[in-house]
Amino acid sequence: MYNVKSAKAEEFICNDEILQSLQFAIDNCNDKSYLNEIITKAANFEGLTHREAITLLESTDKDIENKIFELAKAIKNKFYGNRIVMFAPLYLSNYCVNSCVYCPYHIKNKNIPRKKLQGENLTREVVALQDMGHKRLAIEAGEHPTINPIEYILECIENIYGINHKNGAIRRVNVNIAATSVENYKKLKDAKIGTYILFQETYNKENYKKLHPVGPKSDYDYHTEAMDRAMQGGIDDVGVGVLFGLDNYKYELVGLLMHKEHLEQVFGVGPHTISLPRMRPADDIDIKDFEQGLTDEKFAKLVAILRIAVPYTGLIISTREQIKVRERLLEVGVTQLSGGSKTSVGGYCEKECDGDSSQFEIADNRTLDEVVNWLLSLGYIPSFCTACYREGRTGDRFMRLVKSGAIANVCQPNALLTLAEYLYDYAKEDTKQIGFKVIEKELENIKNDKVKLLVKENLTAIKNGKRDFRL
């Protein structure tokens, strides 16, 4: 029986319930009255159940599809405005004991150069990211109990936070490492991490076993229950995701939303973010071996449905996606974006003279400044803000602010201030010109006179050399 409150993976990600939901969607996807009821519910910012969401995805009615896209845009604008949070991945080590068939870091790959950042090598990478203007990182590492133990991860986090260079400082370290114990999650919490991120890869248990034949990651239950242990360890900001292309995308949407429902019912708050990567070519990986991919059009619809299904959850797209795809997804729901990314260990400083150690091919190879310029030209505010985490606005406290709409009084000013920091310290001249015009325009849109005055005062202070204002 489907039991969303159970801590057992097989009960809160119930295969029978997913299959029944997929059939329910097929049976009801042509019922326009029901479809409109679902959209009306979403328009009241109530979110959607997994069955409601998959029924919308199954529908081919063009009128319904147009309503989905328009509502997704409206919901994004209401809760997130035109702010886009910027981040970059930092690969610490590609040593790994797992055998994931879709990842070039798998233990049988003897071609890829194995690397691990420590000491000066780590410092150089962080400084390179600081020199771009990044303030938020997502650290990544393969799973290896002796080469990449939790002590190594904790040491890296401490070192990253301690590296200051010119006006650069990494203010938030998100962590994307393998499933671990409650005790280790407590250690990560004590290390002042931001969000703990772990991709499920696929929620289909049988396929999961085939994709992970050897290694600790092959334990589906332990992996799937990781977010429960993270929250038990005190981490109230968690990020989930799947790798689209490994299994049927409709199955994955239902699994994602069931996972979200489980966390909400057990811990009172769902995932802080949902990441939406698709399969990309990589060393020793032939993308043709994975036949479950979805088209750009279907992907955009899926993202729009997620936006209306989880209106208070951040949606993340990386440089896996091409520019035009990223632009489309920004319109319909994405709120966080990577820029200037490298997916290899040491990639920000080293040339791949000894072989490519990238985890996957990047589709958007622009510099961070080029991405910022592009976003500004599209009418977005690139935000380097990390204030909520450092001010304790996490977990259910953050969600309450988002749901009330009060978060805009915090996020919009902080976005403008961190954008100003970026423009003064790192931007090229044409990006500066566009950026300061955007800031001037956005200042006029701030209705609260006290907030507007405070932002103006802080902008003057930033111009005069002060940094790291946060509201």
Side-chain angles (χ1 to χ4, degrees):
M1 182 178 178
Y2 175 49
N3 183 3
V4 73
K5 291 186 178 181
S6 172
K8 299 292 185 180
E10 62 184 8
E11 295 183 3
F12 67 81
I13 305 295
C14 175
N15 181 63
D16 286 346
E17 171 61 20
I18 294 179
L19 296 179
Q20 290 169 21
S21 297
L22 295 175
Q23 186 60 51
F24 176 89
I26 293 171
D27 295 341
N28 292 276
C29 66
N30 295 317
D31 184 344
K32 197 158 185 177
S33 176
Y34 175 60
L35 296 173
N36 278 310
E37 287 179 13
I38 297 174
I39 291 174
T40 298
K41 175 186 176 183
N44 291 323
F45 318 122
E46 298 176 27
L48 299 176
T49 67
H50 58 272
R51 286 199 173 190
E52 291 167 338
I54 192 59
T55 305
L56 288 182
L57 187 61
E58 190 67 43
S59 170
T60 58
D61 186 288
K62 288 299 179 184
D63 179 54
I64 294 296
E65 188 170 288
N66 289 337
K67 288 181 179 180
I68 291 169
F69 282 118
E70 290 304 313
L71 180 56
K73 293 176 185 177
I75 287 177
K76 184 190 173 187
N77 184 64
K78 177 176 176 62
F79 294 107
Y80 302 94
N82 57 352
R83 301 178 300 277
I84 304 297
V85 173
M86 306 302 300
F87 75 97
L90 174 60
Y91 283 73
L92 299 178
S93 171
N94 60 5
Y95 287 93
C96 192
V97 296
N98 288 310
S99 58
C100 313
V101 302
Y102 52 85
C103 178
Y105 293 173
H106 66 82
I107 193 169
K108 292 183 180 180
N109 187 356
K110 304 302 181 183
N111 299 319
I112 195 168
R114 301 290 176 172
K115 301 179 182 180
K116 175 181 177 180
L117 295 180
Q118 287 181 300
E120 293 183 1
N121 290 331
L122 174 62
T123 299
R124 282 196 296 268
E125 288 287 285
V126 174
V127 167
L129 285 157
Q130 290 171 340
D131 281 341
M132 291 184 204
H134 279 295
K135 306 297 181 187
R136 178 191 303 239
L137 301 184
I139 60 172
E140 322 254 355
E143 185 172 11
H144 198 296
T146 57
I147 298 179
N148 309 329
I150 190 66
E151 290 76 18
Y152 165 69
I153 301 298
L154 295 170
E155 180 182 355
C156 287
I157 295 169
E158 181 180 6
N159 289 341
I160 291 168
Y161 278 137
I163 297 169
N164 293 289
H165 170 69
K166 297 180 180 178
N167 286 331
I170 302 304
R171 298 170 182 166
R172 175 167 175 161
V173 177
N174 295 338
V175 175
N176 185 354
I177 62 169
T180 188
S181 65
V182 173
E183 288 305 311
N184 284 344
Y185 286 125
K186 288 179 180 178
K187 293 176 182 178
L188 289 171
K189 175 68 174 179
D190 291 342
K192 303 186 185 303
I193 71 165
T195 303
Y196 172 68
I197 304 162
L198 183 66
F199 298 166
Q200 182 60 29
E201 316 299 5
T202 177
Y203 283 98
N204 187 321
K205 187 171 184 177
E206 290 304 310
N207 196 26
Y208 184 98
K209 292 177 181 178
K210 296 175 184 176
L211 293 165
H212 308 89
V214 178
K217 193 171 179 177
S218 63
D219 188 336
Y220 175 91
D221 292 341
Y222 189 78
H223 186 84
T224 310
E225 295 160 8
M227 292 308 179
D228 289 65
R229 296 193 300 278
M231 287 191 163
Q232 291 165 9
I235 299 174
D236 54 5
D237 269 8
V238 298
V240 300
V242 295
L243 180 52
F244 287 102
L246 298 182
D247 207 283
N248 183 287
Y249 69 97
K250 296 175 183 179
Y251 190 105
E252 304 296 18
L253 175 65
V254 178
L256 265 173
L257 292 177
M258 288 172 69
H259 203 169
K260 169 255 182 189
E261 291 162 2
H262 163 71
L263 295 176
E264 282 187 338
Q265 290 205 21
V266 175
F267 298 99
V269 59
H272 183 73
T273 58
I274 296 176
S275 296
L276 303 165
R278 288 194 289 180
M279 278 292 299
R280 289 284 297 156
D283 179 81
D284 198 45
I285 305 298
D286 189 347
I287 198 169
K288 294 179 182 178
D289 293 337
F290 302 90
E291 301 176 351
Q292 298 279 8
L294 68 165
T295 65
D296 293 346
E297 293 77 14
K298 291 178 180 178
F299 194 35
K301 184 178 179 182
L302 183 145
V303 171
I305 288 172
L306 271 174
R307 179 71 290 146
I308 69 176
V310 289
Y312 314 113
T313 299
L315 301 182
I316 301 175
I317 287 293
S318 74
T319 50
R320 287 174 180 262
E321 298 297 337
Q322 297 178 350
I323 296 171
K324 286 297 182 183
V325 174
R326 298 209 325 158
E327 183 173 335
R328 175 65 171 144
L329 299 182
L330 284 169
E331 292 177 358
V332 300
V334 164
T335 57
Q336 292 191 27
L337 204 68
S338 55
S341 302
K342 301 294 183 182
T343 66
S344 55
V345 180
Y348 294 104
C349 293
E350 299 177 6
K351 294 182 179 179
E352 298 290 356
C353 56
D354 57 347
D356 187 5
S357 66
S358 299
Q359 190 183 37
F360 57 85
E361 288 184 11
I362 289 173
D364 184 352
N365 287 288
R366 293 174 297 174
T367 66
L368 177 60
D369 191 75
E370 289 171 333
V371 174
V372 168
N373 191 304
W374 169 68
L375 289 171
L376 290 168
S377 69
L378 293 174
Y380 296 108
I381 303 172
S383 173
F384 297 86
C385 178
T386 61
C388 280
Y389 169 72
R390 293 184 295 152
E391 293 297 314
R393 294 188 291 263
T394 60
D396 58 354
R397 185 182 175 197
F398 174 83
M399 286 298 175
R400 286 197 300 270
L401 288 170
V402 176
K403 291 177 181 179
S404 70
I407 197 69
N409 292 326
V410 175
C411 287
Q412 195 76 355
N414 282 319
L416 295 176
L417 295 176
T418 56
L419 173 59
E421 285 182 329
Y422 174 83
L423 295 174
Y424 281 120
D425 292 343
Y426 309 104
K428 292 185 177 180
E429 192 57 39
D430 58 336
T431 305
K432 285 183 181 180
Q433 291 180 11
I434 299 172
F436 284 121
K437 287 180 181 178
V438 168
I439 290 175
E440 184 178 351
K441 177 183 176 182
E442 292 297 329
L443 271 174
E444 297 307 312
N445 294 331
I446 296 178
K447 305 302 181 184
N448 187 309
D449 290 337
K450 290 183 179 179
V451 172
K452 182 183 291 188
L453 178 61
L454 186 58
V455 173
K456 287 183 176 180
E457 290 174 348
N458 284 341
L459 286 171
T460 299
I462 289 171
K463 183 178 182 180
N464 292 331
K466 292 188 177 181
R467 293 293 178 270
D468 195 15
F469 291 93
R470 56 183 188 265
L471 304 179

